[in-house]
Amino acid sequence: MIELDVLSRQIDALMAEQREAWRQLAVPTLTAFDRREIRNRIRQSGIELRDHLKVRTERLSYQPRPAEPPTDSLANFNFRLL
């Protein structure tokens, strides 16, 4: 589960980075170069975020089931006296 915790923190960090980049993009005094760099950063973090989400989904869907206690094979028989 530690790996999932690390992965979740990385996902949260990428989402925070994207929020901050969108806020910066709203500043009207940015140059065209700065806007292009921010948009590239948003695209790159979006790709990384998508990959991290895919990995987390795969790990969550393939978690091993807890082991069931062994059933007593003799408990299932109905013994009859002849």
Side-chain angles (χ1 to χ4, degrees):
M1 285 314 238
I2 293 173
E3 296 172 357
L4 287 176
D5 293 338
V6 171
L7 195 58
S8 292
R9 276 189 261 133
Q10 291 174 346
I11 289 170
D12 291 340
L14 286 169
M15 288 174 30
E17 182 181 331
Q18 280 198 338
R19 278 192 300 272
E20 182 59 31
W22 280 106
R23 280 191 202 108
Q24 290 176 357
L25 197 57
V27 174
T29 58
L30 288 176
T31 64
F33 176 77
D34 291 335
R35 287 184 188 280
R36 185 170 44 249
E37 288 298 314
I38 292 172
R39 285 193 304 267
N40 287 339
R41 195 170 73 198
I42 290 171
R43 282 188 204 106
Q44 184 61 37
S45 67
I47 292 169
E48 292 175 18
L49 180 61
R50 197 174 314 119
D51 291 341
H52 282 66
L53 289 171
K54 182 179 176 185
V55 168
R56 185 176 73 175
T57 302
E58 288 173 355
R59 288 188 183 171
L60 286 175
S61 65
Y62 293 114
Q63 284 185 348
R65 293 182 181 172
E68 295 178 9
T71 58
D72 188 10
S73 61
L74 296 177
N76 295 334
F77 289 119
N78 294 326
F79 290 107
R80 296 182 195 163
L81 294 175
L82 297 175

